[in-house]
Amino acid sequence: MATEQPQRLWFAMAVVLALAALAALVDTLMVTATRPQVAANEAARLAKVLRQVLPPGYDNHPERDRILALAPELLGSDSPLPIYRARRGGEPVAAVITVIARQGYVGPIRLLVSVTPDGTVSGVRAVEHQETPGLGDRIDQAKSGWLRRFTGRSLNDPRPEAWAVSRDGGAFDQVAGATITSRAVVNAVRDAIVYFEQHRAEIFGQEATR
Amino acid sequence: MKTEFPARSPESVATAGSDDIALFGICPLLGAVVSVIAGAGLGVALLVMLCVASGLVAAAHGSLPARARLPATLVLMAALATAIGVLFEAFLFDAWLALGIALPLLATNAAILEHTETSASRVPPRAAVTSALAVGARVVLWMMAVGAARELLGSGALFTGAGSYGERFGAWTVHLLRADKGFALALAPAGGFLVLGLMLGARNAIATRRRRAADDR
């Protein structure tokens, strides 16, 4: 092997490069071919989550009736976040506000908060989080029903100053062992309603963004 | 200064076997094996990749220059891991949401690399795939066992997430204990290693006891 010719090395490198190019081509073709399927999967998943938070009876496709909202203070993100509108015969049924709870225990928590036109919450789901398994991850609907306690609440029930976990003197009990997570979620849900109350007209009036 | 390593004890020789190759493959994925279903999903993905990689390496071995073989295997593994991720994202989307972050790790999986290097490259493709199936089956069994133990300890349930492979499997999930009485450490990534370590310890203890019993006779 020590006497191997230099051109053999070049040949080996060429073979590996050719194989890498072939592999990249095959993977690229696969990604391209499955792109419509992946887009359909994402839309179906979004529609399913929206169905879980929205009140029944809407007749449009809220996952497509979407606007973007930029409000770093209330919605917790420096980039625009989607708001989905559910309607029945064109009349507003509810708006699903995306809000980021920045002060999660592990990282940001992405929530969907559905609010009916009178400012009442019809459902909340955590769609992205990295909270601790067995503790903070009970904000996940798959793990516990904790988020259900926001359903039917508004800024009148409880009053805005009571939108806090019970440890801080508020009206919502925290997930056991996960006060920081609970506090972040309670604040984010309240801020989503505040945003809704401040922008109600434009939320339902604005043209949908593609 | 030279470190003297002790000679391998009879215990370690007794436990060295095809399970050890399977364990190489499990360890990097262990954090994500939080349930029977997650273990089965990742295990089968690894098994499929192991079989395809072994078959292709066995078939291509003779026609590749010696120096190109290892880098070519690595290129092949990267391509296969990407392809498996793409297939999951397109056709098993819910499972992909649960396992997606672990799938790219298959590209550097030591069990696959070890199997293609030491056995698949020396036998015809059919034999390579057969032996890959044997190793892969052990991977699947170990992963499902670790997943089951963590799931039971952590959340008192079994088969959570079955629904992500099709709505009709959702009913498989069984809750044996109350969910809020779980042992959270079992579900944390470190819990995977603790559970696997305890299972290996139990296996070794049983093997040692059997051998002692055989020696006494």
Side-chain angles (χ1 to χ4, degrees):
Chain A
M1 283 314 232
T3 57
E4 197 176 353
Q5 303 292 314
Q7 58 265 39
R8 288 265 183 95
L9 177 60
W10 286 112
F11 178 62
M13 285 169 74
V15 168
V16 173
L17 276 177
L19 282 174
L22 179 69
L25 180 70
V26 170
D27 279 344
T28 308
L29 286 176
M30 283 182 72
V31 170
T32 314
T34 55
R35 193 167 285 153
Q37 181 65 46
V38 172
N41 291 344
E42 278 163 357
R45 177 179 156 76
L46 178 58
K48 189 176 161 192
V49 180
L50 292 176
R51 202 157 52 237
Q52 290 169 358
V53 291
L54 283 166
Y58 56 92
D59 59 9
N60 68 333
H61 288 281
E63 71 275 14
R64 288 181 223 153
D65 192 352
R66 187 183 83 123
I67 55 169
L68 292 172
L70 179 62
E73 287 296 313
L74 286 174
L75 300 181
S77 171
D78 295 327
S79 48
L81 294 172
I83 295 178
Y84 307 95
R85 285 96 50 98
R87 306 170 195 272
R88 181 186 179 85
E91 289 301 306
V93 169
V96 180
I97 309 213
T98 310
V99 59
I100 310 273
R102 286 199 226 228
Q103 304 295 323
Y105 187 68
V106 182
I109 303 167
R110 192 181 173 101
L111 298 162
L112 292 180
V113 181
S114 170
V115 190
T116 56
D118 66 352
T120 307
V121 173
S122 73
V124 180
R125 283 288 185 283
V127 285
E128 257 178 60
H129 70 84
Q130 298 105 43
E131 297 305 293
T132 318
L135 294 172
D137 78 336
R138 267 176 267 168
I139 56 164
D140 207 318
Q141 189 62 31
K143 308 278 162 68
S144 97
W146 186 76
L147 282 177
R148 251 183 258 138
R149 65 205 61 227
F150 295 106
T151 306
R153 300 305 190 101
S154 67
L155 289 186
N156 300 316
D157 171 31
R159 305 293 306 166
E161 57 275 13
W163 273 81
V165 293
S166 47
R167 177 168 293 179
D168 302 336
F172 297 95
D173 59 342
Q174 53 268 7
V175 175
T179 307
I180 293 174
T181 309
S182 314
R183 194 180 280 147
V185 170
V186 170
N187 289 342
V189 174
R190 180 201 56 216
D191 289 348
I193 313 177
V194 170
Y195 180 87
F196 178 85
E197 297 279 6
Q198 289 175 0
H199 300 84
R200 196 186 319 230
E202 52 186 284
I203 284 175
F204 287 112
Q206 209 173 312
E207 272 299 298
T209 17
R210 285 272 80 206
Chain B
M1 204 183 99
K2 201 176 151 217
T3 314
E4 292 287 338
F5 290 100
R8 293 188 79 175
S9 66
E11 277 81 4
S12 66
V13 174
T15 54
S18 44
D19 268 345
D20 294 16
I21 301 174
L23 290 169
F24 278 144
I26 294 171
C27 285
L29 302 173
L30 209 50
V33 180
V34 290
S35 65
V36 188
I37 296 297
L42 273 176
V44 171
L46 200 154
L47 179 141
V48 168
M49 187 162 149
L50 186 60
C51 290
V52 176
S54 298
L56 287 175
V57 166
H61 185 78
S63 45
L64 286 179
R67 286 180 151 182
R69 279 169 200 159
L70 184 56
T73 306
L74 293 172
V75 165
L76 172 67
M77 283 170 62
L80 285 176
T82 308
I84 286 175
V86 170
L87 291 176
F88 261 87
E89 194 178 1
F91 302 110
L92 291 168
F93 191 67
D94 287 338
W96 180 79
L97 291 173
L99 303 178
I101 49 160
L103 289 173
L105 293 175
L106 288 175
T108 55
N109 194 279
I112 301 175
L113 196 55
E114 137 83 33
H115 191 261
T116 51
E117 276 299 294
T118 59
S119 60
S121 58
R122 292 177 190 160
V123 292
R126 181 188 285 254
V129 174
T130 313
S131 69
L133 270 174
V135 174
R138 281 173 181 273
V139 169
V140 175
L141 289 177
W142 272 106
M143 283 205 187
M144 287 178 74
V146 172
R150 292 177 72 182
E151 198 176 357
L152 273 173
L153 289 170
S155 58
L158 275 179
F159 300 107
T160 40
S164 56
Y165 290 87
E167 299 277 344
R168 63 186 176 284
F169 302 127
W172 283 18
T173 307
V174 281
H175 294 276
L176 302 169
L177 300 162
R178 272 189 52 201
D180 56 344
K181 294 267 166 82
F183 181 52
L185 177 62
L187 292 178
F193 292 89
L194 290 173
V195 166
L196 180 63
L198 290 172
M199 288 170 68
L200 285 173
R203 185 196 68 161
N204 290 357
I206 293 167
T208 309
R209 182 168 300 175
R210 277 212 191 126
R211 205 178 48 255
R212 292 234 173 94
D215 290 349
D216 288 347
R217 226 169 274 138

